[in-house]
Amino acid sequence: MAPQVLTKATGETTSITDLQFYKDTIAGLTASPKYLNSKYFYDAHGDKLFQDLMNCEEYYPTNCEMEIFTNQTADICEALIGNGDAFDLIELGAGDATKSTKLLKYLMDNKADFSYLPIDISENVISYLNMTLPVILPGIDITGLNGDYFDMLKKAADISDKRKVVMFLGSNIGNMPVADAEQFCNELRKHLSPGDMVLIGVDLKKNPATVLAAYNDKEGITKRFNINLLERMNRELGANFDVNQFDHYAMYDPETGACKSYLVSQAEQRVMIGSELISFAKDEYIYMEISQKYTIEQTDEMACKSGFKPLAHFSDSKGWFLDAIWQAV
Ligand code: AVJ
């Protein structure tokens, strides 16, 4: 994207490489109540903080899904291979692909006929994968795509007409409220053909204290992860947030399965973003992220409602996380 020049109130200029980030930020911070989109957490700093989170004691989803992919690799892969027709293995939000590498290795070892197309919103992630995966998995056919999921899915369909297997792991689906998740599954189905598959990772409802602890870790990594978005605005949009004036608040509602994160203004304060003045009252919050939890039954329902048939369920030994295979009907 061509850099855009933003003139600040002071007359100084900053160049903005991501105009959509700017527009979404202003829309969210001028709304009432204020909100930001958690998809912007993942710049290079955010990627690193998420790595730290995955290694932190309370954050269980990654370990659970890793256990599933480690102990049930063959069953999962054989289901995806099906009758053996060539396929495009597309991964939405690939991250560092640690989990999918388990599957990719099995597929390579068993000479499955597939191409791997990781899609990620982070350019940083895609260039990393394009560079490192061919070293870890010599001979892998990989084409990393940097951009929005559905734009890149369209591109993937243009590249080849092979059958598609779409992976959406790590409970990334949880970053949408339920209605949006249903809408997302409908949209995903529209980009696929009958027989195509989805491998989706979903964090399950469980002891509320366990869920809350994962989003309210003692070390404060989740807090830094949220605060990083304000720092990213300072870096990329020339904003002047004093991040010490914000605290992190996480909550989990076991009835709805919604786990939400907020940043709360510790004082009455004003922030400039370009020429835009944003005022915060003391205790005013910014709604930062939802991490929705489901029951297995709810995920089956979501599949059926959006034109898929649930084919298989894979769970970890604690029953905390689900990887499901859905087939487009
Ligand atoms: C990467 C979206 C699955 O919601 O659990 C971790 C991101 N946020 N801690 C999640 C996250 C706070 C994570 N996902």
Side-chain angles (χ1 to χ4, degrees):
M1 220 179 291
Q4 307 279 328
V5 175
L6 175 75
T7 308
K8 297 204 226 172
T10 55
E12 266 177 281
T13 58
T14 344
S15 82
I16 300 187
T17 43
D18 189 342
L19 194 60
Q20 196 60 47
F21 175 37
Y22 174 71
K23 287 182 179 164
D24 289 348
T25 298
I26 298 301
L29 294 183
T30 53
S32 181
K34 292 181 170 63
Y35 67 90
L36 290 168
N37 189 328
S38 60
K39 78 174 178 188
Y40 293 118
F41 284 6
Y42 304 91
D43 66 343
H45 291 83
D47 290 343
K48 168 74 176 63
L49 285 165
F50 185 56
Q51 298 268 1
D52 295 346
L53 258 178
M54 292 193 290
N55 291 321
C56 107
E57 201 185 308
E58 296 101 325
Y59 191 74
Y60 61 82
T62 311
N63 293 337
C64 291
E65 194 169 43
M66 201 60 191
E67 184 201 312
I68 296 171
F69 282 13
T70 304
N71 295 345
Q72 304 179 72
T73 327
D75 289 342
I76 297 170
C77 289
E78 293 304 333
L80 300 180
I81 291 170
N83 63 8
D85 288 351
F87 61 100
D88 287 328
L89 185 59
I90 300 169
E91 179 163 12
L92 306 180
D96 67 2
T98 311
K99 286 169 287 188
S100 30
T101 298
K102 291 263 170 202
L103 304 185
L104 295 173
K105 183 166 189 319
Y106 180 98
L107 293 171
M108 296 290 290
D109 288 348
N110 290 273
K111 314 239 175 325
D113 187 358
F114 76 104
S115 306
Y116 178 54
L117 296 99
I119 297 177
D120 205 284
I121 182 82
S122 167
E123 201 178 306
N124 182 48
V125 157
I126 291 302
S127 55
Y128 172 84
L129 290 179
N130 275 333
M131 248 163 44
T132 54
L133 273 191
V135 179
I136 303 170
L137 300 165
I140 190 165
D141 176 7
I142 170 174
T143 308
L145 302 170
N146 169 224
D148 258 16
Y149 293 162
F150 290 120
D151 295 343
M152 293 305 113
L153 260 183
K154 261 201 203 96
K155 199 164 179 177
D158 292 342
I159 294 175
S160 101
D161 55 9
K162 283 187 266 182
R163 88 185 158 93
K164 307 288 183 237
V165 175
V166 175
M167 297 193 286
F168 194 38
L169 308 178
S171 203
N172 281 326
I173 187 88
N175 277 172
M176 295 170 233
V178 176
D180 293 12
E182 288 175 357
Q183 176 62 35
F184 177 88
C185 292
N186 275 310
E187 186 72 23
L188 179 58
R189 174 63 190 82
K190 281 188 201 142
H191 284 78
L192 300 176
S193 306
D196 287 349
M197 291 178 189
V198 172
L199 174 63
I200 186 167
V202 186
D203 194 15
L204 297 174
K205 288 182 176 172
K206 62 185 64 62
N207 187 323
T210 305
V211 175
L212 184 58
Y215 295 87
N216 197 27
D217 66 288
K218 285 196 233 82
E219 260 185 273
I221 304 170
T222 314
K223 174 179 177 175
R224 295 212 297 282
F225 188 52
N226 279 264
I227 290 282
N228 175 58
L229 182 45
L230 304 186
E231 290 169 337
R232 181 179 181 183
M233 291 173 196
N234 289 350
R235 286 191 294 266
E236 293 182 24
L237 306 179
N240 64 349
F241 278 97
D242 177 356
V243 299
N244 297 316
Q245 294 297 320
F246 289 86
D247 211 351
H248 175 244
Y249 174 75
M251 59 82 70
Y252 176 62
D253 177 0
E255 288 183 43
T256 60
C259 183
K260 294 180 180 175
S261 273
Y262 301 88
L263 287 177
V264 181
S265 177
Q266 297 304 96
E268 186 183 324
Q269 54 183 320
R270 292 163 171 212
V271 175
M272 296 297 305
I273 306 177
S275 54
E276 208 74 43
L277 174 70
I278 310 287
S279 301
F280 290 87
K282 179 172 167 17
D283 298 331
E284 185 176 354
Y285 63 85
I286 313 173
Y287 168 40
M288 301 294 287
E289 185 185 41
I290 182 165
S291 299
Q292 178 68 39
K293 312 306 174 195
Y294 293 92
T295 63
I296 294 182
E297 295 70 31
Q298 284 173 323
T299 68
D300 282 349
E301 256 174 56
M302 188 150 73
C304 296
K305 266 202 222 166
S306 47
F308 294 99
K309 182 175 83 174
L311 276 193
H313 294 150
F314 302 95
S315 268
D316 58 297
S317 52
K318 296 197 193 89
W320 285 1
F321 200 93
L322 172 74
D323 280 287
I325 297 181
W326 298 350
Q327 186 160 46
V329 286

